[in-house]
Amino acid sequence: MTLYRGTILDTPEDPFTGGALRAEADGGLLVRDGAIVERGGFAGLRARHGEEEIVDLRGGLVLPGLVDTHVHFPQVRAIGGLGMPLLDWLERCALPEEARLADAGYAGAVAREFVAGLTQAGTTTALVFGAHFAPAVDALFAESARVGLRVTSGLVVSDRLLRDDLLTTPQRAYDEGRALAQRWHGVSRNRYAVIPRFSLSCGPELLDSCAALLTDVRGSWFTSHVNENVREIATVARLFDAEHYVDTYDRHGLVGRCSVLAHNVHPTDAELKLLADRDASIAHCPTSNCALGSGLFPLKRHVASRVRVALGSDVGAGTGFSLFKEGLQAYFIQQLLGDQGLQLGPAHLLHLATSAGANALGLDEIGDLGVGKRFDALWLHPPPRTTLDVALCNAGSTEDALAKAFALATGADIERVWIDGQPISGQGEPGGSALAG
Ligand SMILES: [Zn+2]
């Protein structure tokens, strides 16, 4: 067993319904076979388990591994395409890059960059928009298995209104998805997800084939986009004879507990009610919403409607893999909404970046650092004399330290990352081993 010593913070109880930040200023976590078996003050744990190896993580914060509920594997190299609204950005920036993943060698290189980007950011679990090409999705699953990341992903499908080389057919989408799931669902920490790009680019027969695949692959997940941009919403309204955007998925049986829809910046009250009734989740992607000018996310209405919300980086419309940055941007957006906004504190931000994501993905074994959970964690330990180091050293409380982390932390401040108790180097260098120690 290993006894980890440090300042341990997590949010086992939802702060949006009264839960508070849980903190051990000088805490200990006893880990056996990747699972947390005891938690408490370090002195007490040390007295009971003096013979166990001690890993000293003082001088920083020990946090649960971050959970990214919306991120695009093929868009690592498309980050930073500024100055365009959604549909122009897709056409000029994202989709030409996605088409390059038809080349398996190119896709393999991007897969290594993508998984390294997540682990360097302290992300240990992600719901990932895969590629439009099955061999590229194989490359992603192979790389996530090699590194040990918890990935839920799959083939992205469309059959209209995108460039021709990204289109498929309902039968081919089903067959390729089924074969990918047979190769990867349940292998290492991979799970399969059914992923129509968005209903704008997916006809009814294709959505039916997605529903069949979701039923046939037991334990698979569903993800897509919804209500991101007003022009997109108007186009979807013209294309479908549906009640609203959420209904374009729901009428095919695609909205339920295992569904995560990204964005939902412009929902109607009827859509929020339906999402709550179906127990579905929303991935809120703050830097993407701001970069594309999509709008200011109505978090207060989601919380009031009891719709689950977690954070997504939405790379490459989002401006990087850091969920600290996404948390800060979520805070900014709520501030700008004034009376319509929700006042967020550091516990809300940590919850959105960890336990809320685990909950959205149905992964009860992760999300906080309580007894019984897997030891998925990061050690935020900034280099000496950096601004974050100064801020943490002078924080008035653990909650204050966490606020400073969301204000200032970058990937460079994350010294170590563990998944199931295994250290991950996070560098993901081509051909090299990602496991350290
Ligand atoms: Zn997206």
Side-chain angles (χ1 to χ4, degrees), residues 70 72 225 262-263 314:
H70 185 68
H72 293 254
H225 295 101
H263 301 304
D314 198 22

Side-chain angles (χ1 to χ4, degrees), residues 70-72 75 86 89 129 197 224-225 228 262-263 285 288 314-317:
H70 185 68
V71 57
H72 293 254
Q75 296 179 9
L86 172 67
W89 177 81
F129 246 70
R197 183 161 201 112
S224 192
H225 295 101
E228 179 173 4
H263 301 304
C285 307
S288 168
D314 198 22
V315 158

Side-chain angles (χ1 to χ4, degrees), residues 235-320:
T235 307
V236 169
R238 273 200 305 278
L239 287 168
F240 282 87
D241 176 30
E243 295 274 313
H244 41 58
Y245 202 152
V246 173
D247 183 43
T248 64
Y249 300 115
D250 186 60
R251 60 175 46 201
H252 295 277
L254 294 168
V255 182
R257 173 65 183 96
C258 301
S259 309
V260 179
L261 292 168
H263 301 304
N264 211 32
V265 178
H266 308 282
T268 63
D269 289 343
E271 287 175 300
L272 288 171
K273 181 173 186 314
L274 181 59
L275 289 165
D277 288 347
R278 294 282 185 267
D279 212 8
S281 301
I282 294 298
H284 170 34
C285 307
T287 72
S288 168
N289 293 164
C290 293
L292 297 175
S294 300
L296 301 176
F297 181 71
L299 179 60
K300 197 176 193 173
R301 289 175 58 214
H302 282 76
V303 171
S305 303
R306 300 180 193 281
V307 177
R308 299 166 200 272
V309 176
L311 277 183
S313 67
D314 198 22
V315 158
T319 60

Side-chain angles (χ1 to χ4, degrees), residues 94-319:
L95 298 182
E97 176 64 16
E98 298 223 2
R100 290 185 193 109
L101 274 83
D103 179 319
Y106 190 92
V110 172
R112 290 189 290 276
E113 294 162 1
F114 176 77
V115 170
L118 288 171
T119 55
Q120 285 164 17
T123 295
T124 51
T125 298
L127 177 59
V128 178
F129 246 70
H132 286 269
F133 308 99
V137 180
D138 280 316
L140 171 66
F141 278 132
E143 180 63 7
S144 61
R146 186 183 75 82
V147 171
L149 199 66
R150 289 186 205 278
V151 161
T152 304
S153 187
L155 186 70
V156 178
V157 296
S158 290
D159 67 348
R160 65 180 180 193
L161 297 177
L162 291 190
R163 40 187 293 156
D164 287 347
D165 50 358
L166 298 182
L167 299 183
T168 187
T169 65
Q171 188 63 48
R172 190 176 136 210
Y174 179 91
D175 293 343
E176 290 182 349
R178 187 80 194 253
L180 278 164
Q182 279 164 354
R183 287 197 289 279
W184 296 108
H185 188 53
V187 173
S188 181
R189 298 180 185 103
N190 291 323
R191 296 189 305 175
Y192 198 75
V194 176
I195 315 179
R197 183 161 201 112
F198 55 164
S199 52
L200 189 151
S201 69
C202 301
E205 295 79 19
L206 183 61
L207 293 173
D208 276 338
S209 90
C210 288
L213 186 59
L214 187 63
T215 302
D216 293 348
V217 180
R218 281 189 63 177
S220 63
W221 227 250
F222 174 80
T223 189
S224 192
H225 295 101
V226 77
N227 288 323
E228 179 173 4
N229 164 290
V230 289
R231 212 177 111 209
E232 168 218 15
I233 295 166
T235 307
V236 169
R238 273 200 305 278
L239 287 168
F240 282 87
D241 176 30
E243 295 274 313
H244 41 58
Y245 202 152
V246 173
D247 183 43
T248 64
Y249 300 115
D250 186 60
R251 60 175 46 201
H252 295 277
L254 294 168
V255 182
R257 173 65 183 96
C258 301
S259 309
V260 179
L261 292 168
H263 301 304
N264 211 32
V265 178
H266 308 282
T268 63
D269 289 343
E271 287 175 300
L272 288 171
K273 181 173 186 314
L274 181 59
L275 289 165
D277 288 347
R278 294 282 185 267
D279 212 8
S281 301
I282 294 298
H284 170 34
C285 307
T287 72
S288 168
N289 293 164
C290 293
L292 297 175
S294 300
L296 301 176
F297 181 71
L299 179 60
K300 197 176 193 173
R301 289 175 58 214
H302 282 76
V303 171
S305 303
R306 300 180 193 281
V307 177
R308 299 166 200 272
V309 176
L311 277 183
S313 67
D314 198 22
V315 158
T319 60

